[in-house]
Amino acid sequence: MNFKFFFSFCFIYNFNKCLGIYFFFRSFFDNTKVIALDRDIESEIKANQLKNKFDDRFLFKNIKFSQLNNLKLKNENVKGIIFDLGYSYAQIKDSKKGLSFQSEGNLNMQMGLNNYSAEDAINKLDEKELDKVFKFFGEEKESKFIARNIVKERSKKKIDTQTLVKIIDNTKRKKNFKVHSATKVFQALRILVNKEISELIFGLINATKVLKKDGVLAVVTFHSLEDKIVKYFFKSLSEQKSVSRYAPLTEQPDTLLRLIEKKVITPSDEEINENLPSRSAKLRYAIKKTDFYDFKTDVLEKFSNLIEIENFGNKL
């Protein structure tokens, strides 16, 4: 897919994975300016290398992408925003971050600018809360039993990464030998700890606000929950609301976004062969039709149940 649009600013959530995007657009537009956002402060090391080389065209900010409206870009010519919602290979393999079920020691999963860790959640949330986190954030079918066994085990000792993996493995009755037993639970904990639901929703809202007419908002997701939110957001702002035929005739407001591709874009077999982790990637993009800044969306109400679960962490 070719983007034939001038990208004056490019917001990048996962800086480590998206350097290639920067150089791609730079090769087409010599006056492209890029703002890269990442909540992981360790990304600043690589960012400084780019800053030294392209001082007048590159800027790095150690903030969450939900906060991009704090950059005061309302009057800037923002033509492209890219969200890459995945984790880099380096981050997953970093034992200090504790993102992987193969890590040793304490549960962490904090990507930066966090208020609590996965260890806090596992050892302090009650059984019903853990059940909901695993069920709705990880789509774990045996969430109830896993939560129950976690609460039993933590009464004896604090739970670390390998203890949690063992609990999950011993609890699961149906094994999928292609996917590790702990995959869904660890996904759920990462979403909870990093508040990925509200981060994504507010990121989409604020990105759409600052985009200028004909600007492109592109989002790469890596699990079905993220894709569901992006799909709904794009659809709700690109389709006319249905009206009862018995209702009085009124002028329908124009839509804010335009979808060129309504179906999700997935990697080709060739791309997957070259980069296996890309197999779960899904790309959706939309084009803004007007410079209108403030708009209404019901995306927060639509996913209010998920935000309510995410807020379990507020008491930790």
Side-chain angles (χ1 to χ4, degrees):
M1 178 184 64
N2 294 319
F3 284 115
K4 298 180 180 178
F5 301 94
F6 172 64
F7 277 56
S8 57
F9 289 90
C10 174
F11 294 96
I12 301 176
Y13 168 51
N14 195 318
F15 176 77
N16 289 319
K17 295 178 65 182
C18 291
L19 289 179
I21 296 174
Y22 169 76
F23 289 110
F24 172 80
F25 288 116
R26 179 181 176 275
S27 66
F28 284 93
F29 308 108
D30 288 337
N31 55 348
T32 302
K33 293 182 179 180
V34 175
I35 300 178
L37 309 183
D38 199 317
R39 64 191 297 171
D40 186 355
I41 189 59
E42 293 180 18
S43 297
E44 192 167 21
I45 298 172
K46 290 186 178 181
N48 286 335
Q49 296 172 4
L50 275 179
K51 180 69 175 174
N52 292 334
K53 193 172 183 179
F54 306 102
D55 183 55
D56 60 333
R57 293 171 50 196
F58 180 80
L59 179 66
F60 172 80
K61 290 288 186 179
N62 177 218
I63 63 173
K64 295 180 281 189
F65 62 65
S66 63
Q67 301 170 319
L68 64 86
N69 58 320
N70 295 344
L71 298 176
K72 299 179 181 179
L73 296 167
K74 183 176 180 179
N75 298 319
E76 299 290 345
N77 188 30
V78 181
K79 285 292 188 177
I81 299 177
I82 301 172
F83 290 154
D84 183 339
L85 305 183
Y87 296 92
S88 72
Y89 184 78
Q91 288 168 329
I92 293 173
K93 289 298 180 182
D94 186 347
S95 59
K96 298 189 300 295
K97 286 184 169 57
L99 292 168
S100 172
F101 40 75
Q102 296 177 338
S103 298
E104 298 288 341
N106 294 335
L107 286 159
N108 185 17
M109 303 193 187
Q110 298 178 96
M111 292 305 298
L113 308 175
N114 300 81
N115 296 319
Y116 54 88
S117 68
E119 182 181 88
D120 295 325
I122 282 295
N123 288 285
K124 295 178 182 179
L125 292 181
D126 65 36
E127 184 178 323
K128 289 185 178 179
E129 290 169 336
L130 288 173
D131 173 25
K132 286 186 176 181
V133 170
F134 302 154
K135 180 179 180 180
F136 290 97
F137 288 173
E139 299 177 299
E140 173 56 66
K141 294 181 180 179
E142 299 185 60
S143 59
K144 187 175 183 179
F145 305 107
I146 294 171
R148 182 179 301 166
N149 288 336
I150 286 172
V151 172
K152 286 181 182 178
E153 186 65 25
R154 77 186 188 193
S155 65
K156 306 171 189 174
K157 62 177 182 179
K158 182 182 286 188
I159 295 175
D160 61 14
T161 299
Q162 292 308 309
T163 303
L164 178 58
V165 171
K166 191 177 295 183
I167 292 171
I168 297 168
D169 198 47
N170 291 338
T171 304
K172 296 274 285 187
R173 294 168 293 182
K174 294 182 179 179
K175 308 280 181 161
N176 182 346
F177 295 102
K178 292 183 179 180
V179 180
H180 195 285
S181 298
T183 298
K184 294 182 178 181
V185 168
F186 272 66
Q187 172 187 299
L189 288 171
R190 289 194 297 264
I191 292 172
L192 175 72
V193 170
N194 296 293
K195 288 184 170 289
E196 294 180 17
I197 302 302
S198 56
E199 275 297 301
L200 175 55
I201 291 175
F202 284 109
L204 291 171
I205 292 171
N206 290 326
T208 304
K209 283 183 176 182
V210 301
L211 264 183
K212 292 302 181 183
K213 182 180 179 182
D214 295 329
V216 178
L217 173 56
V219 187
V220 181
T221 63
F222 286 86
H223 59 74
S224 60
L225 192 56
E226 291 174 340
D227 182 60
K228 185 177 180 180
I229 293 171
V230 176
K231 179 181 179 181
Y232 180 83
F233 182 79
F234 282 172
K235 184 177 180 180
S236 66
L237 292 178
S238 62
E239 293 184 357
Q240 296 282 6
K241 304 293 183 182
S242 59
V243 179
S244 171
R245 61 179 177 175
Y246 301 107
L249 291 176
T250 57
E251 185 176 345
Q252 287 285 87
D254 195 13
T255 55
L256 186 64
L257 301 178
R258 180 171 72 253
L259 301 184
I260 305 299
E261 293 275 355
K262 291 189 177 182
K263 292 184 177 180
V264 68
I265 301 169
T266 56
S268 65
D269 291 339
E270 183 181 355
E271 288 173 314
I272 294 173
N273 289 333
E274 291 179 2
N275 179 24
L276 187 59
S278 72
R279 66 189 183 279
S280 56
K282 294 180 179 179
L283 169 66
R284 294 185 188 273
Y285 73 99
I287 300 170
K288 192 172 180 182
K289 295 164 60 177
T290 173
D291 283 332
F292 191 68
Y293 184 82
D294 291 311
F295 62 93
K296 292 182 179 180
T297 173
D298 64 347
V299 66
L300 285 166
E301 290 79 10
K302 175 68 175 178
F303 298 100
S304 60
N305 64 315
L306 298 180
I307 295 176
E308 183 180 336
I309 295 170
E310 188 180 75
N311 288 337
F312 289 163
N314 291 345
K315 67 180 184 180
L316 297 174

